[in-house]
mmCIF file of all heavy atoms in Angstrom:
data_model
loop_
_atom_site.group_PDB
_atom_site.id
_atom_site.type_symbol
_atom_site.label_atom_id
_atom_site.label_comp_id
_atom_site.label_asym_id
_atom_site.label_seq_id
_atom_site.Cartn_x
_atom_site.Cartn_y
_atom_site.Cartn_z
ATOM 1 N N HIS S 310 52.236 -29.450 48.402
ATOM 2 C CA HIS S 310 51.686 -29.208 47.090
ATOM 3 C C HIS S 310 51.993 -27.761 46.687
ATOM 4 O O HIS S 310 52.373 -26.931 47.527
ATOM 5 C CB HIS S 310 50.170 -29.385 47.062
ATOM 6 C CG HIS S 310 49.730 -30.780 47.309
ATOM 7 N ND1 HIS S 310 49.678 -31.373 48.560
ATOM 8 C CD2 HIS S 310 49.325 -31.768 46.433
ATOM 9 C CE1 HIS S 310 49.273 -32.618 48.488
ATOM 10 N NE2 HIS S 310 49.023 -32.861 47.202
ATOM 11 N N PHE S 311 51.820 -27.472 45.431
ATOM 12 C CA PHE S 311 51.988 -26.077 44.984
ATOM 13 C C PHE S 311 51.154 -25.826 43.735
ATOM 14 O O PHE S 311 50.779 -26.748 42.990
ATOM 15 C CB PHE S 311 53.436 -25.721 44.735
ATOM 16 C CG PHE S 311 54.103 -26.490 43.612
ATOM 17 C CD1 PHE S 311 54.121 -26.012 42.319
ATOM 18 C CD2 PHE S 311 54.768 -27.702 43.889
ATOM 19 C CE1 PHE S 311 54.748 -26.720 41.316
ATOM 20 C CE2 PHE S 311 55.361 -28.431 42.874
ATOM 21 C CZ PHE S 311 55.349 -27.920 41.562
ATOM 22 N N PHE S 312 50.775 -24.550 43.565
ATOM 23 C CA PHE S 312 50.133 -24.082 42.335
ATOM 24 C C PHE S 312 51.233 -23.606 41.402
ATOM 25 O O PHE S 312 52.215 -22.966 41.825
ATOM 26 C CB PHE S 312 49.161 -22.961 42.615
ATOM 27 C CG PHE S 312 47.843 -23.390 43.188
ATOM 28 C CD1 PHE S 312 47.593 -23.244 44.547
ATOM 29 C CD2 PHE S 312 46.845 -23.929 42.379
ATOM 30 C CE1 PHE S 312 46.390 -23.648 45.103
ATOM 31 C CE2 PHE S 312 45.636 -24.325 42.931
ATOM 32 C CZ PHE S 312 45.393 -24.180 44.277
ATOM 33 N N CYS S 313 51.017 -23.883 40.107
ATOM 34 C CA CYS S 313 51.971 -23.452 39.103
ATOM 35 C C CYS S 313 51.243 -22.644 38.026
ATOM 36 O O CYS S 313 50.205 -23.115 37.502
ATOM 37 C CB CYS S 313 52.599 -24.703 38.512
ATOM 38 S SG CYS S 313 53.309 -24.460 36.879
ATOM 39 N N GLY S 314 51.694 -21.448 37.748
ATOM 40 C CA GLY S 314 51.110 -20.609 36.733
ATOM 41 C C GLY S 314 52.035 -20.518 35.527
ATOM 42 O O GLY S 314 53.216 -20.298 35.677
ATOM 43 N N THR S 315 51.485 -20.647 34.308
ATOM 44 C CA THR S 315 52.297 -20.667 33.113
ATOM 45 C C THR S 315 51.974 -19.486 32.173
ATOM 46 O O THR S 315 50.916 -18.860 32.290
ATOM 47 C CB THR S 315 52.157 -21.976 32.318
ATOM 48 O OG1 THR S 315 50.871 -21.961 31.621
ATOM 49 C CG2 THR S 315 52.172 -23.184 33.264
ATOM 50 N N SER S 316 52.858 -19.250 31.249
ATOM 51 C CA SER S 316 52.696 -18.129 30.314
ATOM 52 C C SER S 316 51.521 -18.348 29.358
ATOM 53 O O SER S 316 51.067 -17.384 28.745
ATOM 54 C CB SER S 316 53.995 -17.973 29.476
ATOM 55 O OG SER S 316 54.289 -19.154 28.773
ATOM 56 N N GLN S 317 51.045 -19.562 29.224
ATOM 57 C CA GLN S 317 49.845 -19.824 28.397
ATOM 58 C C GLN S 317 48.587 -19.769 29.246
ATOM 59 O O GLN S 317 47.543 -20.344 28.885
ATOM 60 C CB GLN S 317 49.977 -21.151 27.667
ATOM 61 C CG GLN S 317 51.015 -21.093 26.574
ATOM 62 C CD GLN S 317 50.903 -22.247 25.581
ATOM 63 O OE1 GLN S 317 49.940 -22.987 25.583
ATOM 64 N NE2 GLN S 317 51.909 -22.430 24.738
ATOM 65 N N SER S 318 48.662 -19.108 30.396
ATOM 66 C CA SER S 318 47.536 -18.849 31.287
ATOM 67 C C SER S 318 46.872 -20.129 31.828
ATOM 68 O O SER S 318 45.662 -20.174 32.020
ATOM 69 C CB SER S 318 46.503 -17.969 30.590
ATOM 70 O OG SER S 318 47.082 -16.715 30.256
ATOM 71 N N ASN S 319 47.668 -21.153 32.048
ATOM 72 C CA ASN S 319 47.175 -22.339 32.699
ATOM 73 C C ASN S 319 47.606 -22.357 34.134
ATOM 74 O O ASN S 319 48.720 -21.953 34.470
ATOM 75 C CB ASN S 319 47.718 -23.617 32.017
ATOM 76 C CG ASN S 319 47.217 -23.765 30.596
ATOM 77 O OD1 ASN S 319 46.073 -23.499 30.315
ATOM 78 N ND2 ASN S 319 48.102 -24.136 29.673
ATOM 79 N N VAL S 320 46.737 -22.853 35.052
ATOM 80 C CA VAL S 320 47.071 -23.005 36.458
ATOM 81 C C VAL S 320 47.005 -24.489 36.798
ATOM 82 O O VAL S 320 45.976 -25.153 36.566
ATOM 83 C CB VAL S 320 46.112 -22.197 37.343
ATOM 84 C CG1 VAL S 320 46.420 -22.453 38.824
ATOM 85 C CG2 VAL S 320 46.155 -20.735 37.039
ATOM 86 N N TYR S 321 48.113 -25.028 37.311
ATOM 87 C CA TYR S 321 48.211 -26.439 37.673
ATOM 88 C C TYR S 321 48.343 -26.594 39.175
ATOM 89 O O TYR S 321 48.916 -25.726 39.849
ATOM 90 C CB TYR S 321 49.423 -27.096 36.976
ATOM 91 C CG TYR S 321 49.376 -27.159 35.487
ATOM 92 C CD1 TYR S 321 49.842 -26.112 34.698
ATOM 93 C CD2 TYR S 321 48.839 -28.275 34.830
ATOM 94 C CE1 TYR S 321 49.810 -26.192 33.299
ATOM 95 C CE2 TYR S 321 48.801 -28.371 33.448
ATOM 96 C CZ TYR S 321 49.281 -27.295 32.683
ATOM 97 O OH TYR S 321 49.252 -27.383 31.327
ATOM 98 N N TRP S 322 47.815 -27.711 39.681
ATOM 99 C CA TRP S 322 47.990 -28.097 41.091
ATOM 100 C C TRP S 322 48.934 -29.333 41.047
ATOM 101 O O TRP S 322 48.651 -30.304 40.398
ATOM 102 C CB TRP S 322 46.618 -28.463 41.671
ATOM 103 C CG TRP S 322 46.622 -29.047 43.046
ATOM 104 C CD1 TRP S 322 46.273 -30.305 43.406
ATOM 105 C CD2 TRP S 322 46.901 -28.363 44.262
ATOM 106 N NE1 TRP S 322 46.327 -30.481 44.756
ATOM 107 C CE2 TRP S 322 46.703 -29.307 45.328
ATOM 108 C CE3 TRP S 322 47.272 -27.070 44.605
ATOM 109 C CZ2 TRP S 322 46.903 -28.979 46.655
ATOM 110 C CZ3 TRP S 322 47.444 -26.751 45.947
ATOM 111 C CH2 TRP S 322 47.287 -27.669 46.962
ATOM 112 N N VAL S 323 50.051 -29.175 41.751
ATOM 113 C CA VAL S 323 51.125 -30.223 41.614
ATOM 114 C C VAL S 323 51.483 -30.744 42.970
ATOM 115 O O VAL S 323 51.671 -30.016 43.939
ATOM 116 C CB VAL S 323 52.366 -29.632 40.929
ATOM 117 C CG1 VAL S 323 53.366 -30.723 40.595
ATOM 118 C CG2 VAL S 323 52.005 -28.847 39.664
ATOM 119 N N ASP S 324 51.592 -32.085 43.046
ATOM 120 C CA ASP S 324 52.095 -32.744 44.257
ATOM 121 C C ASP S 324 53.627 -32.710 44.258
ATOM 122 O O ASP S 324 54.256 -33.062 43.285
ATOM 123 C CB ASP S 324 51.628 -34.233 44.277
ATOM 124 C CG ASP S 324 52.067 -34.964 45.491
ATOM 125 O OD1 ASP S 324 51.404 -34.885 46.543
ATOM 126 O OD2 ASP S 324 53.142 -35.606 45.437
#
Side-chain angles (χ1 to χ4, degrees):
H310 294 80
F311 63 93
F312 283 101
C313 157
T315 76
S316 59
Q317 289 195 13
S318 298
N319 295 319
V320 177
Y321 294 89
W322 173 249
V323 189
D324 180 86

